């Protein structure tokens, strides 16, 4: 079932990319418009998130996968909620009409930012949403920021530790 889910995520990701390139027909355009209405410009990150999810599903074994699924799902949903609100806060249109909401943070971003904006100024809202975005990445990856950066930079787990130990010894 893990592999089936991963294959379906890849299919949806490719379908969204084709829709963005206007190669998915009427259903693709409708799907893109509906998704934009919900999460706004964050829709352009969605195919990448789906591909990463598929990769992680293929990569994890059954035991890791049980606890991983819930964390990943919650973290990914929070990522898109906070990203949509961040886009809304950055673009900050005064009073967008309902038809324009997809051009910003979608209905999700609009709703969250509408709750924040009366009590927080724009720079503080952007800062808080940025930090919450980082928290959502940590939850989705089920790893520390340090570990995430190590993976992104391609360092092995022990490699960075040895270098840090040498730096500490040099500083003494």
């Amino acid at each position: 079932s893990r592999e089936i889910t991963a294959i379906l995520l890849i299919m949806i990701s490719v379908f969204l990319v084709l829709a963005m390139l206007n190669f998915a027909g009427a259903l693709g355009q409708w799907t893109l418009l509906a998704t934009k209405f919900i999460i706004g410009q964050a829709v352009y990150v969605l195919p990448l998130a789906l591909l990463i999810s598929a990769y992680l599903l293929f990569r994890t074994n059954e035991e890791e996968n049980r606890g991983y699924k819930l964390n990943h799902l919650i973290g990914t949903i929070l990522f898109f909620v906070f990203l949509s609100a961040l886009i809304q806060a950055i673009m900050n249109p005064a009073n967008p009409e309902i038809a324009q909401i997809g051009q910003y943070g979608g209905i999700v971003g609009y709703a969250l930012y509408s709750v924040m904006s009366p009590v927080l100024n724009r720079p503080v809202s952007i800062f808080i949403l940025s930090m919450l975005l980082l928290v959502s990445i940590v939850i989705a990856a089920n790893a520390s920021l340090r570990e995430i950066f190590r993976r992104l930079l391609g360092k092995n787990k022990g490699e960075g530790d040895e270098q840090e130990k040498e730096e500490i010894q040099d500083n003494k």
Side-chain angles (χ1 to χ4, degrees):
S1 90
R2 241 182 25 240
E3 284 99 12
I4 293 171
T5 303
I7 291 167
L8 290 173
L9 291 174
I10 292 168
M11 179 192 71
I12 294 167
S13 177
V14 170
F15 179 73
L16 283 172
V17 170
L18 291 173
M20 290 173 196
L21 297 172
N22 212 10
F23 290 131
L27 180 61
Q29 289 308 304
W30 181 86
T31 304
L32 185 61
L33 285 173
T35 308
K36 269 186 166 181
F37 182 76
I38 296 168
I39 61 171
Q41 298 302 306
V43 71
Y44 296 107
V45 181
L46 187 57
L48 179 62
L50 294 174
L51 288 175
I52 291 170
S53 297
Y55 168 75
L56 292 173
L57 281 172
F58 276 130
R59 192 173 153 258
T60 57
N61 63 35
E62 193 64 38
E63 292 168 13
E64 291 174 351
N65 200 32
R66 285 193 183 108
Y68 169 78
K69 277 185 181 179
L70 185 60
N71 278 351
H72 182 69
L73 179 64
I74 291 169
T76 303
I77 290 169
L78 289 174
F79 175 82
F80 281 99
V81 167
F82 297 137
L83 180 61
S84 295
L86 183 61
I87 291 168
Q88 187 72 33
I90 290 170
M91 298 182 119
N92 197 25
N95 288 313
E97 296 193 18
I98 196 79
Q100 296 176 322
I101 286 180
Q103 296 173 14
Y104 308 110
I107 198 74
V108 170
Y110 180 76
L112 182 55
Y113 186 64
S114 293
V115 171
M116 293 178 77
S117 61
V119 293
L120 296 170
N121 66 24
R122 188 170 169 219
V124 172
S125 295
I126 290 171
F127 172 75
I128 290 172
L129 289 167
S130 299
M131 294 301 104
L132 290 172
L133 198 63
L134 280 176
V135 168
S136 70
I137 291 169
V138 169
I139 293 170
N142 200 19
S144 68
L145 276 178
R146 179 184 229 173
E147 191 176 333
I148 292 168
F149 283 120
R150 272 195 192 137
R151 288 179 192 170
L152 288 174
L153 298 174
K155 292 183 179 180
N156 292 332
K157 194 170 189 171
E159 191 176 309
D161 292 341
E162 291 301 317
Q163 188 177 15
E164 287 172 20
K165 287 178 186 174
E166 288 174 17
E167 289 174 8
I168 290 170
Q169 289 298 329
D170 291 340
N171 290 336
K172 286 183 179 179

